[in-house]
Amino acid sequence: MKELEHISHFYFIGIGGIGMSALARYLHEQGKQVAGYDRIVTSLSVKLEEEGIDIHYTDNFDKIPEAFKMKATAQVIYTPAVPIDFGELVRFRESGMTTMKRAQLLGQISKTMTCLAIAGTHGKTTTTAILAHLLYKSDVKVTAFLGGILEGYHTNYLSSGTDVMVVEADEFDRSFLQLDPDIAGITSMDADHLDIYGDAATFEKTFHDFAGLLDGNTLLINEQLDLKGLKVGLHSGDYQAINVTIVDGVYHFDLKTPQRIIEKCVLRLPGRHNLSNAILAMAVAIEYGVNADKLKLALGSFPGVERRFTYRINTAKRVLIDDYAHHPTEINAVFQAVSEMYPGEEKLVVFQPHLFSRTRDFMEEFAQALSQFDKVALLDIYPARELPMEGITSKLLCQKINLLEKAPQIVVTVEKEDIKDFIDEMGTRIVLLLGAGDIGVESLKLIQKWADA
């Protein structure tokens, strides 16, 4: 691994995170010694422990084996989600150990393989997962670092070899500028993370900087983006879905490429945004050189990504959909998908806003997006890395929605423990739980509560 070849021990601070755990598994697979800390026990950290990686859950520098503190042969990796004054991180720095952000490690690994990177405010996790599945099923020797759990595989890390690296290029904290991509795709550039970037123009410039990393290599971009590259889309582009039909909730389409038309493609994910994601993944794989007919077969078997339009319940009596959507554009995409699947039926959404800054920056846009549903319930804002901001609350967002000309029938705030009672009282068949915080746990609790009722 070039700069990291002499490192035998890697210590991860925040090892249970979706991005960190995949890197830990990769290094462990490469024969490196790996250990780490995380704040809470999760399914990902349990999986790491089962694979032989030592993890502890208290901030305790003295508990870390000495081999992970050797400057010459050990490396500390941390996630930006860890506070700068976190005890173990401070002690490592005081001892003279070099510390490296997760993105820097990903960047170094990307130099060792052909790197296929997917960026974008929305859709990058699904697109990366589709691309990884396509290559894996097409017998490409691929290592994939995913930002979500791939259904069917039950993992965020996929490995069949090291010819190609598939990676989610994360714009948060400008992380994706550390990568060395050979082929890249960009799904979208809607402003986000304004707590980091300050304004939309600076945010967008960073995507232009990312595009600049290609340096003459292949860049594939959504048809709506103002960048130079091969266009991909539903309405136009070098790669385009044509003759699109929906049969029993499944997309059937032909894919127009610069070389030929690939007929009778199938995608089992709902939503036009997911169809767009799939075309981008297909385009990247074709540009890499994978056989198009193998790709068509693989696409038809794509199982989906956990919490991306995930059906928790799908019966004649009740439909419960769980989705990670946490930005107004994503909520709009989910609404389009659910409307296409269930035209004419009432739709109820329970939404957990994520970050005070994002809720503040997109208050009007959130109100408009949520107002499309018939009934709306808002949980308290999930703070993630932030402290509360005075005046920025779910109650304020609730008021904004109710003031709109076309307000939903019901708009209320609810506590987590009251979600089931609210849904039962409303009597709506189509229910969606949306958000990037811990609302996904509530969907699993609901299933259990209804089963016990």
Side-chain angles (χ1 to χ4, degrees), residues 119-120 122 127 184-189 219-237 239 272-273 275-277 279-280:
H122 330 290
T127 308
I186 301 179
T187 64
S188 51
M189 297 192 309
L219 177 65
L220 297 118
I221 52 175
N222 183 281
E223 61 189 326
Q224 299 173 344
L225 300 183
D226 183 21
L227 285 168
K228 286 183 180 175
L230 293 170
K231 297 275 186 174
V232 177
L234 304 180
H235 309 289
S236 63
Y239 288 86
R272 308 279 289 185
H273 61 299
L275 183 54
S276 184
N277 293 336
I279 299 161
L280 181 57

Side-chain angles (χ1 to χ4, degrees), residues 171-360:
E171 75 279 2
F172 176 73
D173 198 32
R174 297 176 172 83
S175 294
F176 59 2
L177 297 183
Q178 302 283 346
L179 295 172
D180 185 20
D182 295 285
I183 302 174
I186 301 179
T187 64
S188 51
M189 297 192 309
D190 294 313
D192 197 6
H193 305 301
L194 297 186
D195 56 320
I196 303 289
Y197 287 95
D199 57 55
T202 305
F203 179 85
E204 193 167 307
K205 180 189 178 297
T206 308
F207 274 87
H208 285 266
D209 292 343
F210 173 73
L213 296 177
L214 274 296
D215 191 28
N217 290 329
T218 304
L219 177 65
L220 297 118
I221 52 175
N222 183 281
E223 61 189 326
Q224 299 173 344
L225 300 183
D226 183 21
L227 285 168
K228 286 183 180 175
L230 293 170
K231 297 275 186 174
V232 177
L234 304 180
H235 309 289
S236 63
D238 301 281
Y239 288 86
Q240 182 189 348
I242 58 175
N243 305 322
V244 179
T245 59
I246 301 170
V247 181
D248 295 330
V250 174
Y251 284 114
H252 295 257
F253 64 99
D254 299 331
L255 179 61
K256 180 176 79 68
T257 79
Q259 291 80 34
R260 57 177 278 206
I261 291 176
I262 306 165
E263 296 181 333
K264 297 181 181 176
C265 298
V266 172
L267 178 70
R268 301 181 189 282
L269 290 188
R272 308 279 289 185
H273 61 299
N274 281 324
L275 183 54
S276 184
N277 293 336
I279 299 161
L280 181 57
M282 288 280 281
V284 171
I286 290 167
E287 288 295 323
Y288 173 66
V290 184
N291 177 276
D293 294 310
K294 278 189 175 182
L295 293 173
K296 179 175 80 169
L297 198 62
L299 183 64
S301 67
F302 179 68
V305 181
E306 193 170 291
R307 297 211 67 232
R308 269 53 173 200
F309 214 91
T310 298
Y311 281 95
R312 299 296 184 192
I313 300 173
N314 188 4
T315 66
K317 181 184 174 186
R318 191 188 307 280
V319 173
L320 179 64
I321 296 165
D322 185 17
D323 195 277
Y324 190 73
H326 58 285
H327 184 283
T329 303
E330 294 166 353
I331 295 171
N332 288 333
V334 168
F335 181 78
Q336 181 278 322
V338 77
S339 299
E340 194 170 63
M341 296 296 293
Y342 305 101
E345 287 199 61
E346 269 194 357
K347 296 156 190 78
L348 180 155
V349 65
V350 181
F351 177 59
Q352 181 187 48
H354 185 264
L355 296 177
F356 292 94
S357 59
R358 184 182 284 122
T359 308
R360 176 199 64 200

Side-chain angles (χ1 to χ4, degrees), residues 21-276:
S21 59
L23 282 167
R25 292 180 71 195
Y26 167 77
L27 290 168
H28 186 63
E29 201 174 80
Q30 299 301 306
K32 304 291 187 178
Q33 297 299 307
V34 179
Y37 157 87
D38 212 296
R39 186 171 53 89
I40 55 172
V41 179
T42 65
S43 58
L44 285 172
S45 65
V46 168
K47 192 171 180 65
L48 293 177
E49 290 186 276
E50 287 172 351
E51 292 175 9
I53 294 174
D54 183 46
I55 301 175
H56 63 265
Y57 298 91
T58 54
D59 179 3
N60 188 344
F61 185 78
D62 296 330
K63 195 173 181 179
I64 302 168
E66 288 303 313
F68 291 94
K69 300 174 183 176
M70 305 295 290
K71 295 176 193 175
T73 55
Q75 177 68 60
V76 177
I77 312 295
Y78 69 99
T79 167
V82 172
I84 198 163
D85 59 352
F86 177 71
E88 289 186 6
L89 189 58
V90 170
R91 289 284 298 277
F92 270 121
R93 284 174 172 160
E94 286 174 350
S95 73
M97 282 284 293
T98 58
T99 59
M100 177 186 285
K101 282 187 180 181
R102 174 181 70 89
Q104 292 171 289
L105 176 59
L106 260 180
Q108 292 201 18
I109 296 170
S110 73
K111 291 179 172 68
T112 69
M113 295 178 247
T114 298
C115 177
L116 312 183
I118 304 293
T121 320
H122 330 290
K124 60 181 172 289
T125 296
T126 300
T127 308
T128 307
I130 296 172
L131 178 57
H133 171 80
L134 292 176
L135 298 182
Y136 188 82
K137 288 293 186 184
S138 300
D139 304 317
V140 175
K141 290 181 170 56
V142 60
T143 294
F145 300 98
L146 308 176
I149 303 298
L150 191 50
E151 298 275 15
Y153 298 85
H154 308 295
T155 184
N156 58 330
Y157 171 72
L158 203 58
S159 176
S160 61
T162 54
D163 287 352
V164 184
M165 170 180 172
V166 170
V167 63
E168 183 169 319
D170 188 3
E171 75 279 2
F172 176 73
D173 198 32
R174 297 176 172 83
S175 294
F176 59 2
L177 297 183
Q178 302 283 346
L179 295 172
D180 185 20
D182 295 285
I183 302 174
I186 301 179
T187 64
S188 51
M189 297 192 309
D190 294 313
D192 197 6
H193 305 301
L194 297 186
D195 56 320
I196 303 289
Y197 287 95
D199 57 55
T202 305
F203 179 85
E204 193 167 307
K205 180 189 178 297
T206 308
F207 274 87
H208 285 266
D209 292 343
F210 173 73
L213 296 177
L214 274 296
D215 191 28
N217 290 329
T218 304
L219 177 65
L220 297 118
I221 52 175
N222 183 281
E223 61 189 326
Q224 299 173 344
L225 300 183
D226 183 21
L227 285 168
K228 286 183 180 175
L230 293 170
K231 297 275 186 174
V232 177
L234 304 180
H235 309 289
S236 63
D238 301 281
Y239 288 86
Q240 182 189 348
I242 58 175
N243 305 322
V244 179
T245 59
I246 301 170
V247 181
D248 295 330
V250 174
Y251 284 114
H252 295 257
F253 64 99
D254 299 331
L255 179 61
K256 180 176 79 68
T257 79
Q259 291 80 34
R260 57 177 278 206
I261 291 176
I262 306 165
E263 296 181 333
K264 297 181 181 176
C265 298
V266 172
L267 178 70
R268 301 181 189 282
L269 290 188
R272 308 279 289 185
H273 61 299
N274 281 324
L275 183 54
S276 184

Side-chain angles (χ1 to χ4, degrees), residues 375-393:
K375 297 166 184 174
V376 179
L378 301 176
L379 297 180
D380 287 339
I381 296 170
Y382 186 82
R385 58 185 180 270
E386 294 182 337
L387 294 172
M389 293 181 178
E390 190 175 347
I392 305 302
T393 64

